[in-house]
Amino acid sequence: MSNSMVVEALEDLVSANRILAHEQVIDGFGHISIRHPERPDRFFLSRSRSPELVTLDDLMEFDLDCNPIDQRGRAMYGERPIHGGIFKVRPDVNAVIHHHAHPILPFTFSKEKLRPVFHMGGVMGREIPDWDIRTKFGDTDLLVVTMDQGIDLAHALGKSRMTLMRRHGCVVAANTLRQAVFIAVYSTDNAKLQLAGRGELEFLSDGEIDETGKLLEMPIAMDRAWEYWSRRCGVLAA
Ligand code: MN
């Protein structure tokens, strides 16, 4: 891990933890991972700890079956198969976020679909599939703790950027960490706005969703948002 590209990626992963905690997408729970920039068969995820407190030192390396490369006695998040499963099934994905943001949760226990209601909500994409652990695994504590469950979740995600986990939370998967954070923050905003909408709601058209999604391919947009959130949570000095 002496390579500077890897160190830079890990520093961004620390920032992402702080940003998503500050923006109230994650709280004491929830986690964020990145694929190893030089070894696609590995990923990085913090040891088990509150995301707001994560430092470089807390980041651990895992193989795609979620075995630690060098555990050193550290406690690990039980739900890491969410990350390993998606990295295995989706070679295009380099960052995964799992969270239980409160504005998203109502859409996990009702029939109402989360759909883009405003400009930035378009980055969620056209399809936000649902995954219900109960369908294949029956009554559980709802945690995704086996590779079978993680792979099943990844298959439900399909080619989408997000999937809702029934009665539990949400997963975001993207090509870059900045895109994943962008989608996580604005999908949470979209959920708040959709719940606040009065009367018959109007949604973005499929064409508008496709056009809005192009934002994710614009570094100028990704970097500006990242800078804003980094400053707000204090990882970037004024
Ligand atoms: Mn969870």
Side-chain angles (χ1 to χ4, degrees):
M1 258 197 270
S2 58
N3 184 300
S4 68
M5 191 173 83
V6 176
V7 173
E8 208 171 294
L10 295 180
E11 284 170 349
D12 271 2
L13 182 54
V14 171
S15 297
N17 275 271
R18 307 294 185 87
I19 287 170
L20 292 174
H22 188 84
E23 301 301 327
Q24 294 185 293
V25 173
I26 49 179
D27 48 25
F29 297 92
H31 21 83
I32 308 142
S33 65
I34 54 168
R35 195 187 292 275
H36 193 307
E38 291 172 339
R39 290 204 53 162
D41 59 339
R42 291 192 178 175
F43 69 95
F44 292 104
L45 178 72
S46 172
R47 73 179 168 97
S48 177
R49 97 174 291 203
S50 174
E52 196 160 11
L53 301 173
V54 164
T55 66
L56 269 183
D57 221 31
D58 296 314
L59 301 180
M60 296 177 65
E61 189 172 340
F62 297 93
D63 66 24
L64 297 192
D65 287 315
C66 301
N67 303 305
I69 304 305
D70 181 15
Q71 186 175 358
R72 302 204 308 265
R74 292 174 285 183
M76 303 180 288
Y77 291 130
E79 289 198 288
R80 51 191 197 285
I82 292 174
H83 303 265
I86 294 173
F87 287 132
K88 267 196 176 184
V89 171
R90 287 276 302 270
D92 60 309
V93 164
N94 294 306
V96 174
I97 297 169
H98 169 55
H99 69 77
H100 324 98
H102 280 194
I104 296 274
L105 289 180
F107 297 96
T108 73
F109 55 72
S110 81
K111 296 268 184 263
E112 191 180 346
K113 296 287 282 178
L114 178 65
R115 288 172 63 189
V117 288
F118 82 120
H119 181 210
M120 294 305 197
V123 298
M124 297 190 295
R126 287 190 187 197
E127 272 305 313
I128 305 171
D130 270 327
W131 179 69
D132 193 338
I133 193 168
R134 200 193 280 162
T135 306
K136 192 165 168 195
F137 302 97
D139 289 340
T140 63
D141 61 3
L142 299 184
L143 297 174
V144 181
V145 291
T146 69
M147 282 311 293
D148 270 0
Q149 292 168 344
I151 298 279
D152 195 52
L153 168 63
H155 284 142
L157 173 70
K159 292 194 179 322
S160 294
R161 300 183 192 131
M162 287 176 65
T163 187
L164 299 187
M165 304 157 74
R166 299 304 288 169
R167 307 172 301 285
H168 177 173
C170 173
V171 167
V172 175
N175 185 244
T176 73
L177 181 61
R178 288 180 191 212
Q179 288 172 350
V181 168
F182 198 93
I183 295 163
V185 171
Y186 281 114
S187 55
T188 303
D189 279 353
N190 191 96
K192 280 183 209 160
L193 293 166
Q194 190 173 339
L195 293 168
R198 299 295 174 96
E200 194 180 332
L201 303 188
E202 200 178 294
F203 301 96
L204 267 63
S205 68
D206 283 348
E208 285 172 336
I209 294 170
D210 294 346
E211 290 302 313
T212 314
K214 291 179 184 167
L215 256 181
L216 294 170
E217 304 301 326
M218 294 169 57
I220 195 169
M222 293 304 101
D223 293 350
R224 199 163 90 200
W226 184 264
E227 200 173 45
Y228 171 69
W229 292 317
S230 297
R231 178 69 192 122
R232 276 164 61 86
C233 72
V235 295
L236 179 67

